[in-house]
Amino acid sequence: MAEILAALSLTTDVAAGMEFEKGLRTCAVAVEFATSVLQVDTATARCVFETSLLRSIGCTSFAPELAELFGDDVAVQAVLKTLDPDARTGARGSSATLAGSLLAAMPTTGVQAVRNGCETSRSLGVELGLLPAAITALDDVYERWDGRGVPTGRRGDELSLVARIVHTAEQAVLAHAAGGAPAAVAELRRRAGGHLDPALAQSFSAAAPAVLAPLREVDAFTAALAAEPHPHTTVPFASVERLCAVLARVVDLKSRWLLGHSEHVAAVAGAAGEALGFDRGALTEVRCAALVHDLGRVGVSSAVWDLPGPLSVAQVERVRMHTYWTQRVLARVPALAPLAVTAASHHERLNGSGYHGATPSAGLPLPARLLAAADVFAALTEPRAHRAALSAPAAAQVLVGQAADGLLDREAVAAITSAAGGPVAPVDLPAGLSRREVEVLRLAARGLSNREIGQALSISPRTAGHHLTHIYDKTGRRTRAGIAVFAMQHHLLR
């Protein structure tokens, strides 16, 4: 289980513009501080372990809105990690300008963004089986000791001890990366009584050499896993696919147009794999690879994924990097490393014209070729900012054409087009939702206003608003990201 949490941590490092493995280092330091200095009980130590790894699990939940407002949601996330109303950041130039804009927006946009993130964290945390106290602590990741945080402005001991420990460790790790132990201690002392619990900042500073010792480890992944309190939590291999679906939802929140995409690809690839006679193990592997194939998308701004027009050359280069980051994350996690080649090859093409490795057909195993074709089919049958969704027959024609041109594998394309012609299983409507409410939910999850929903469904904005109120009440969600996650969890997006 720790390996799955570590994969999420690495993914959110990329999404938040952080140095790779920052979350792993924070975890090792936070647990060392909690156990050796504060001598917390085992349950609290476990919560510190989980919270420090998943501190940014909600970072994609408001990415499209942040990209619209500030241009690059990844840059926004990076600044948020060190944002301080007392000193802003130590950054200069564009980062300092962005910090000022974020501080000005905190009472409105900041609150809305963090509410989306908190609701996402709670929902996904339950799916991951996190301890309740860890889920509570995730609500506090942008709160502050002095009450100047968001979304609620809780202060002092109102903040969970777990969150206060993680706050202290994270700021120490970030400062340490820039200037070693002296910089870490200086930053904690500066933030004490403002951002940070002054007693915890003092305790950490007094024991800094010992608490920061995990940062001397060469392998941050091993150090983080070694920090897991006993007894270690394990899950059966049969659960890995369900857990990969959680990673998929974090990724798919990155764009209004990608909601449910990864699970759609997994369904298409799984059906085609059955048509090709894959055994149970091979089917599970290809579905899992499909679920995590787009992990690297989180490192590219939502402004790029949601762009309604053609991409610039620079944007194309950024997009081409997402498969590289998928491979980096998966290869770093032993439990998921067997999926890395298949997952990261979904944009490779048989003639070597794909990316990121430009691998020709001889280097692509059948599961990778199947996933590449499944990704194209799923994407074509989903709406995008620049086009409407194609019908299954129209998408199948495109796939056949690409196979003829030597881009996609003919066997994989034949399996997908054959499987796509089968009957579509009806979706049960959860939480007492009506079919009209599901239609409204799909559009609201993509960020459409009541007016836009009304236009799309030929109803008045007021009626759309009434439906949305009922949706929030029935699902128990209160944010766009919240209902988007609900829609993905219950497969309501198609």
Side-chain angles (χ1 to χ4, degrees), residues 385-426:
H386 60 285
R387 60 159 173 80
L390 273 63
S391 67
Q397 276 192 318
V398 174
L399 261 67
V400 169
Q402 292 193 9
D405 291 339
L407 300 175
L408 297 177
D409 182 82
R410 291 177 183 271
E411 186 180 14
V413 166
I416 287 169
T417 54
S418 173
V424 178

Side-chain angles (χ1 to χ4, degrees), residues 6 33 89 103 141 161 203 246 262 273 303 355 384 398 418 473:
F33 178 43
T89 68
L103 285 171
V141 294
L161 174 62
S203 297
V246 178
S262 297
Y355 61 88
R384 291 291 183 263
V398 174
S418 173
D473 289 342

Side-chain angles (χ1 to χ4, degrees), residues 9 44 146 216 225 264 420:
S9 179
T44 302
D146 60 8
R216 294 197 293 270
L225 262 62
H264 187 195

Side-chain angles (χ1 to χ4, degrees), residues 320 345 347-364 369 402 405-409:
R320 289 168 65 92
S345 298
H347 281 291
E348 301 291 0
R349 295 296 179 258
L350 298 188
N351 63 1
S353 64
Y355 61 88
H356 65 280
T359 306
S361 58
L364 295 175
R369 286 177 270 146
Q402 292 193 9
D405 291 339
L407 300 175
L408 297 177
D409 182 82

Side-chain angles (χ1 to χ4, degrees), residues 228-245:
E228 182 183 10
H230 290 278
H232 292 176
T233 300
T234 60
V235 293
F237 281 112
S239 297
V240 173
E241 186 175 342
R242 176 180 60 81
L243 296 172
C244 285

Side-chain angles (χ1 to χ4, degrees), residues 58-73:
C59 67
T60 57
S61 61
F62 204 67
E65 291 87 347
L66 291 177
E68 281 185 351
L69 289 168
F70 302 108
D72 187 341
D73 57 284

Side-chain angles (χ1 to χ4, degrees), residues 46-67:
R46 177 75 200 182
C47 291
V48 169
F49 177 78
E50 294 176 349
T51 304
S52 55
L53 286 175
L54 302 186
R55 177 246 184 274
S56 296
I57 191 174
C59 67
T60 57
S61 61
F62 204 67
E65 291 87 347
L66 291 177

